[in-house]
Short mmCIF file of all heavy atoms in Angstrom, two decimals:
data_model
loop_
_atom_site.label_atom_id
_atom_site.label_comp_id
_atom_site.label_asym_id
_atom_site.label_seq_id
_atom_site.Cartn_x
_atom_site.Cartn_y
_atom_site.Cartn_z
N ASP U 962 -4.83 9.56 -2.80
CA ASP U 962 -4.09 8.35 -3.13
C ASP U 962 -3.24 7.87 -1.92
O ASP U 962 -3.07 6.69 -1.71
CB ASP U 962 -3.21 8.59 -4.33
CG ASP U 962 -3.94 8.71 -5.62
OD1 ASP U 962 -5.12 8.29 -5.68
OD2 ASP U 962 -3.36 9.21 -6.61
N SER U 963 -2.72 8.82 -1.15
CA SER U 963 -1.81 8.51 -0.06
C SER U 963 -2.53 7.75 1.09
O SER U 963 -1.85 7.13 1.93
CB SER U 963 -1.17 9.76 0.49
OG SER U 963 -2.16 10.66 0.96
N VAL U 964 -3.84 7.77 1.14
CA VAL U 964 -4.56 7.14 2.24
C VAL U 964 -5.47 6.00 1.79
O VAL U 964 -6.04 5.31 2.63
CB VAL U 964 -5.40 8.15 3.07
CG1 VAL U 964 -4.53 9.33 3.50
CG2 VAL U 964 -6.61 8.64 2.30
N LYS U 965 -5.56 5.77 0.49
CA LYS U 965 -6.43 4.71 -0.01
C LYS U 965 -5.99 3.37 0.58
O LYS U 965 -4.83 3.02 0.65
CB LYS U 965 -6.37 4.65 -1.52
CG LYS U 965 -7.16 5.73 -2.24
CD LYS U 965 -7.05 5.58 -3.75
CE LYS U 965 -7.86 6.67 -4.44
NZ LYS U 965 -7.71 6.63 -5.91
N GLY U 966 -7.02 2.60 1.05
CA GLY U 966 -6.73 1.29 1.59
C GLY U 966 -6.38 1.36 3.08
O GLY U 966 -6.34 0.29 3.74
N ARG U 967 -6.14 2.53 3.60
CA ARG U 967 -5.82 2.64 5.02
C ARG U 967 -6.82 3.42 5.83
O ARG U 967 -7.09 3.12 6.98
CB ARG U 967 -4.47 3.33 5.21
CG ARG U 967 -3.27 2.64 4.52
CD ARG U 967 -1.95 3.28 4.87
NE ARG U 967 -1.85 4.65 4.41
CZ ARG U 967 -1.61 5.69 5.22
NH1 ARG U 967 -1.44 5.51 6.50
NH2 ARG U 967 -1.51 6.92 4.71
N PHE U 968 -7.44 4.43 5.22
CA PHE U 968 -8.44 5.27 5.85
C PHE U 968 -9.82 4.97 5.30
O PHE U 968 -9.97 4.65 4.15
CB PHE U 968 -8.12 6.76 5.61
CG PHE U 968 -6.88 7.28 6.29
CD1 PHE U 968 -5.95 6.44 6.89
CD2 PHE U 968 -6.64 8.62 6.31
CE1 PHE U 968 -4.82 6.93 7.49
CE2 PHE U 968 -5.50 9.18 6.88
CZ PHE U 968 -4.60 8.28 7.50
N THR U 969 -10.81 5.12 6.19
CA THR U 969 -12.23 4.92 5.78
C THR U 969 -13.03 6.09 6.36
O THR U 969 -13.01 6.29 7.54
CB THR U 969 -12.76 3.58 6.27
OG1 THR U 969 -11.99 2.51 5.76
CG2 THR U 969 -14.22 3.42 5.78
N ILE U 970 -13.78 6.76 5.47
CA ILE U 970 -14.67 7.83 5.90
C ILE U 970 -16.10 7.30 5.94
O ILE U 970 -16.50 6.48 5.11
CB ILE U 970 -14.56 9.05 4.95
CG1 ILE U 970 -15.31 10.24 5.56
CG2 ILE U 970 -15.04 8.71 3.54
CD1 ILE U 970 -15.04 11.55 4.79
N SER U 971 -16.84 7.74 6.95
CA SER U 971 -18.25 7.32 7.05
C SER U 971 -19.04 8.45 7.66
O SER U 971 -18.47 9.37 8.29
CB SER U 971 -18.34 6.06 7.94
OG SER U 971 -17.88 6.33 9.27
N ARG U 972 -20.33 8.42 7.46
CA ARG U 972 -21.21 9.52 7.98
C ARG U 972 -22.49 8.95 8.56
O ARG U 972 -22.95 7.88 8.10
CB ARG U 972 -21.50 10.56 6.93
CG ARG U 972 -22.28 10.05 5.73
CD ARG U 972 -22.36 11.12 4.63
NE ARG U 972 -23.34 12.17 4.99
CZ ARG U 972 -23.43 13.33 4.28
NH1 ARG U 972 -22.62 13.57 3.25
NH2 ARG U 972 -24.31 14.24 4.65
N ASP U 973 -23.05 9.67 9.50
CA ASP U 973 -24.34 9.33 10.06
C ASP U 973 -25.24 10.57 9.84
O ASP U 973 -25.10 11.56 10.54
CB ASP U 973 -24.20 9.01 11.54
CG ASP U 973 -25.51 8.54 12.16
OD1 ASP U 973 -26.58 9.00 11.74
OD2 ASP U 973 -25.47 7.70 13.08
N ASN U 974 -26.09 10.50 8.89
CA ASN U 974 -26.93 11.65 8.51
C ASN U 974 -27.94 11.98 9.66
O ASN U 974 -28.26 13.15 9.79
CB ASN U 974 -27.69 11.36 7.24
CG ASN U 974 -26.77 11.28 6.00
OD1 ASN U 974 -25.76 11.96 5.98
ND2 ASN U 974 -27.08 10.41 5.11
N GLY U 975 -28.31 11.02 10.41
CA GLY U 975 -29.25 11.28 11.51
C GLY U 975 -28.63 12.06 12.64
O GLY U 975 -29.28 12.85 13.30
N LYS U 976 -27.33 11.86 12.79
CA LYS U 976 -26.61 12.54 13.90
C LYS U 976 -25.75 13.70 13.37
O LYS U 976 -25.13 14.40 14.19
CB LYS U 976 -25.70 11.53 14.62
CG LYS U 976 -26.45 10.43 15.34
CD LYS U 976 -25.52 9.46 16.04
CE LYS U 976 -26.25 8.37 16.80
NZ LYS U 976 -25.33 7.42 17.43
N ASN U 977 -25.72 13.92 12.10
CA ASN U 977 -24.88 14.96 11.50
C ASN U 977 -23.44 14.84 11.89
O ASN U 977 -22.77 15.78 12.29
CB ASN U 977 -25.41 16.38 11.91
CG ASN U 977 -26.77 16.66 11.32
OD1 ASN U 977 -27.11 16.22 10.23
ND2 ASN U 977 -27.58 17.41 12.05
N THR U 978 -22.94 13.63 11.75
CA THR U 978 -21.55 13.34 12.08
C THR U 978 -20.80 12.69 10.91
O THR U 978 -21.40 12.06 10.06
CB THR U 978 -21.44 12.41 13.30
OG1 THR U 978 -22.09 11.18 12.99
CG2 THR U 978 -22.04 13.06 14.54
N VAL U 979 -19.50 12.90 10.93
CA VAL U 979 -18.65 12.22 9.96
C VAL U 979 -17.43 11.70 10.72
O VAL U 979 -16.86 12.41 11.56
CB VAL U 979 -18.23 13.15 8.80
CG1 VAL U 979 -17.48 14.39 9.30
CG2 VAL U 979 -17.41 12.40 7.77
N ASP U 980 -17.02 10.48 10.45
CA ASP U 980 -15.90 9.87 11.10
C ASP U 980 -14.80 9.54 10.06
O ASP U 980 -15.12 9.36 8.88
CB ASP U 980 -16.33 8.56 11.77
CG ASP U 980 -17.20 8.81 12.98
OD1 ASP U 980 -17.31 9.99 13.46
OD2 ASP U 980 -17.77 7.84 13.52
N LEU U 981 -13.58 9.42 10.57
CA LEU U 981 -12.48 8.99 9.75
C LEU U 981 -11.70 7.94 10.52
O LEU U 981 -11.07 8.26 11.52
CB LEU U 981 -11.54 10.16 9.39
CG LEU U 981 -10.41 9.82 8.44
CD1 LEU U 981 -10.97 9.53 7.03
CD2 LEU U 981 -9.40 10.98 8.35
N GLN U 982 -11.80 6.71 10.09
CA GLN U 982 -11.06 5.61 10.67
C GLN U 982 -9.71 5.51 9.97
O GLN U 982 -9.65 5.35 8.75
CB GLN U 982 -11.81 4.28 10.52
CG GLN U 982 -11.05 3.09 11.06
CD GLN U 982 -10.84 3.15 12.57
OE1 GLN U 982 -11.75 3.51 13.31
NE2 GLN U 982 -9.66 2.80 13.03
N MET U 983 -8.61 5.66 10.76
CA MET U 983 -7.28 5.70 10.17
C MET U 983 -6.51 4.51 10.70
O MET U 983 -6.25 4.38 11.89
CB MET U 983 -6.59 7.00 10.56
CG MET U 983 -7.38 8.25 10.14
SD MET U 983 -6.48 9.78 10.46
CE MET U 983 -6.42 9.74 12.25
N ASN U 984 -6.12 3.62 9.79
CA ASN U 984 -5.38 2.42 10.16
C ASN U 984 -3.99 2.50 9.51
O ASN U 984 -3.77 3.24 8.56
CB ASN U 984 -6.10 1.18 9.71
CG ASN U 984 -7.46 0.98 10.37
OD1 ASN U 984 -7.66 1.39 11.51
ND2 ASN U 984 -8.42 0.38 9.65
N SER U 985 -3.08 1.66 9.99
CA SER U 985 -1.73 1.56 9.44
C SER U 985 -1.13 2.94 9.30
O SER U 985 -0.57 3.28 8.24
CB SER U 985 -1.77 0.87 8.06
OG SER U 985 -2.32 -0.43 8.19
N LEU U 986 -1.22 3.71 10.37
CA LEU U 986 -0.74 5.10 10.30
C LEU U 986 0.77 5.16 10.10
O LEU U 986 1.52 4.30 10.58
CB LEU U 986 -1.14 5.83 11.56
CG LEU U 986 -2.62 6.27 11.58
CD1 LEU U 986 -3.09 6.56 13.00
CD2 LEU U 986 -2.81 7.49 10.69
N LYS U 987 1.21 6.19 9.36
CA LYS U 987 2.60 6.42 9.04
C LYS U 987 2.99 7.78 9.58
O LYS U 987 2.19 8.68 9.76
CB LYS U 987 2.79 6.42 7.56
CG LYS U 987 2.31 5.17 6.85
CD LYS U 987 2.41 5.29 5.32
CE LYS U 987 1.93 4.07 4.58
NZ LYS U 987 2.02 4.20 3.10
N PRO U 988 4.31 7.98 9.85
CA PRO U 988 4.76 9.27 10.31
C PRO U 988 4.34 10.43 9.38
O PRO U 988 4.06 11.53 9.85
CB PRO U 988 6.28 9.12 10.35
CG PRO U 988 6.47 7.68 10.62
CD PRO U 988 5.38 6.97 9.87
N GLU U 989 4.28 10.15 8.07
CA GLU U 989 3.87 11.21 7.14
C GLU U 989 2.41 11.56 7.21
O GLU U 989 1.94 12.49 6.58
CB GLU U 989 4.26 10.83 5.71
CG GLU U 989 3.77 9.43 5.27
CD GLU U 989 4.86 8.36 5.42
OE1 GLU U 989 5.56 8.39 6.47
OE2 GLU U 989 5.00 7.55 4.49
N ASP U 990 1.63 10.83 8.00
CA ASP U 990 0.23 11.20 8.25
C ASP U 990 0.10 12.25 9.37
O ASP U 990 -0.98 12.77 9.62
CB ASP U 990 -0.59 9.99 8.70
CG ASP U 990 -0.72 8.96 7.58
OD1 ASP U 990 -0.93 9.35 6.43
OD2 ASP U 990 -0.62 7.74 7.88
N THR U 991 1.23 12.59 9.99
CA THR U 991 1.22 13.61 11.04
C THR U 991 0.76 14.94 10.48
O THR U 991 1.33 15.47 9.49
CB THR U 991 2.60 13.75 11.67
OG1 THR U 991 2.94 12.54 12.35
CG2 THR U 991 2.65 14.95 12.67
N ALA U 992 -0.26 15.55 11.10
CA ALA U 992 -0.82 16.81 10.61
C ALA U 992 -1.96 17.23 11.52
O ALA U 992 -2.39 16.46 12.41
CB ALA U 992 -1.38 16.62 9.18
N VAL U 993 -2.42 18.44 11.32
CA VAL U 993 -3.69 18.88 11.93
C VAL U 993 -4.80 18.47 10.95
O VAL U 993 -4.73 18.79 9.77
CB VAL U 993 -3.71 20.35 12.20
CG1 VAL U 993 -5.08 20.77 12.75
CG2 VAL U 993 -2.62 20.75 13.17
N TYR U 994 -5.77 17.73 11.44
CA TYR U 994 -6.86 17.24 10.61
C TYR U 994 -8.11 18.12 10.85
O TYR U 994 -8.48 18.36 12.01
CB TYR U 994 -7.20 15.80 10.97
CG TYR U 994 -6.19 14.84 10.34
CD1 TYR U 994 -4.87 14.78 10.83
CD2 TYR U 994 -6.52 14.01 9.29
CE1 TYR U 994 -3.92 13.94 10.28
CE2 TYR U 994 -5.60 13.15 8.72
CZ TYR U 994 -4.29 13.13 9.23
OH TYR U 994 -3.37 12.28 8.68
N TYR U 995 -8.67 18.58 9.74
CA TYR U 995 -9.85 19.45 9.79
C TYR U 995 -11.08 18.78 9.17
O TYR U 995 -10.97 18.20 8.08
CB TYR U 995 -9.55 20.73 9.03
CG TYR U 995 -8.45 21.60 9.60
CD1 TYR U 995 -7.15 21.40 9.17
CD2 TYR U 995 -8.73 22.58 10.54
CE1 TYR U 995 -6.13 22.19 9.70
CE2 TYR U 995 -7.72 23.37 11.04
CZ TYR U 995 -6.41 23.17 10.62
OH TYR U 995 -5.40 23.93 11.15
N CYS U 996 -12.18 18.92 9.85
CA CYS U 996 -13.45 18.49 9.33
C CYS U 996 -14.02 19.65 8.46
O CYS U 996 -13.85 20.82 8.84
CB CYS U 996 -14.37 18.17 10.48
SG CYS U 996 -16.06 17.78 10.07
N ARG U 997 -14.69 19.31 7.37
CA ARG U 997 -15.30 20.34 6.56
C ARG U 997 -16.66 19.82 6.08
O ARG U 997 -16.80 18.66 5.69
CB ARG U 997 -14.42 20.66 5.32
CG ARG U 997 -14.91 21.85 4.54
CD ARG U 997 -14.14 22.00 3.25
NE ARG U 997 -14.85 21.28 2.17
CZ ARG U 997 -14.70 21.57 0.90
NH1 ARG U 997 -13.87 22.53 0.53
NH2 ARG U 997 -15.33 20.90 -0.01
N MET U 998 -17.62 20.68 6.16
CA MET U 998 -18.97 20.30 5.66
C MET U 998 -19.56 21.42 4.85
O MET U 998 -19.33 22.60 5.12
CB MET U 998 -19.93 19.98 6.85
CG MET U 998 -19.49 18.79 7.70
SD MET U 998 -20.81 18.43 8.91
CE MET U 998 -19.99 17.19 9.90
N ILE U 999 -20.39 21.04 3.87
CA ILE U 999 -21.19 22.00 3.16
C ILE U 999 -22.61 21.87 3.70
O ILE U 999 -23.32 20.89 3.42
CB ILE U 999 -21.16 21.76 1.65
CG1 ILE U 999 -19.72 21.89 1.14
CG2 ILE U 999 -22.07 22.76 0.94
CD1 ILE U 999 -19.53 21.60 -0.33
N VAL U 1000 -22.96 22.85 4.56
CA VAL U 1000 -24.22 22.80 5.25
C VAL U 1000 -25.20 23.76 4.53
O VAL U 1000 -24.97 24.97 4.54
CB VAL U 1000 -24.09 23.22 6.72
CG1 VAL U 1000 -25.42 23.17 7.41
CG2 VAL U 1000 -23.07 22.35 7.41
N ASP U 1001 -26.23 23.18 3.94
CA ASP U 1001 -27.10 23.94 3.04
C ASP U 1001 -26.21 24.49 1.91
O ASP U 1001 -25.79 23.71 1.09
CB ASP U 1001 -27.89 24.97 3.83
CG ASP U 1001 -28.73 24.35 4.92
OD1 ASP U 1001 -29.33 23.29 4.66
OD2 ASP U 1001 -28.78 24.88 6.03
N THR U 1002 -25.93 25.74 1.90
CA THR U 1002 -25.05 26.30 0.86
C THR U 1002 -23.82 26.90 1.45
O THR U 1002 -23.06 27.61 0.75
CB THR U 1002 -25.78 27.35 0.03
OG1 THR U 1002 -26.25 28.39 0.90
CG2 THR U 1002 -27.01 26.73 -0.70
N THR U 1003 -23.57 26.64 2.74
CA THR U 1003 -22.43 27.28 3.44
C THR U 1003 -21.32 26.28 3.72
O THR U 1003 -21.58 25.18 4.21
CB THR U 1003 -22.93 27.91 4.78
OG1 THR U 1003 -23.95 28.83 4.48
CG2 THR U 1003 -21.79 28.58 5.49
N LEU U 1004 -20.08 26.75 3.46
CA LEU U 1004 -18.92 25.92 3.77
C LEU U 1004 -18.49 26.18 5.19
O LEU U 1004 -18.25 27.33 5.56
CB LEU U 1004 -17.81 26.28 2.77
CG LEU U 1004 -16.49 25.51 2.95
CD1 LEU U 1004 -16.68 24.03 2.73
CD2 LEU U 1004 -15.43 26.07 2.00
N VAL U 1005 -18.37 25.10 5.97
CA VAL U 1005 -18.01 25.25 7.37
C VAL U 1005 -16.80 24.38 7.68
O VAL U 1005 -16.79 23.22 7.29
CB VAL U 1005 -19.19 24.86 8.29
CG1 VAL U 1005 -18.88 25.13 9.76
CG2 VAL U 1005 -20.48 25.59 7.89
N TRP U 1006 -15.88 24.93 8.47
CA TRP U 1006 -14.70 24.19 8.87
C TRP U 1006 -14.71 23.98 10.38
O TRP U 1006 -15.18 24.83 11.13
CB TRP U 1006 -13.42 24.96 8.56
CG TRP U 1006 -13.06 24.99 7.08
CD1 TRP U 1006 -13.43 25.96 6.21
CD2 TRP U 1006 -12.29 24.05 6.37
NE1 TRP U 1006 -12.89 25.69 4.94
CE2 TRP U 1006 -12.22 24.52 5.01
CE3 TRP U 1006 -11.59 22.87 6.69
CZ2 TRP U 1006 -11.49 23.81 4.03
CZ3 TRP U 1006 -10.91 22.20 5.70
CH2 TRP U 1006 -10.86 22.65 4.37
N GLY U 1007 -14.13 22.86 10.84
CA GLY U 1007 -13.88 22.64 12.21
C GLY U 1007 -12.61 23.34 12.65
O GLY U 1007 -11.90 23.93 11.82
#
């Protein structure tokens, strides 16, 4: 809820990538951001 309308997630299945466009950033968005994928049946973190 805190990012609705400001952030947009997108993926490119051909390149195996996921992006996060973050607009109208606020100080409370400060954090370490981690990518996570479920690859086949395995959970993987960046």
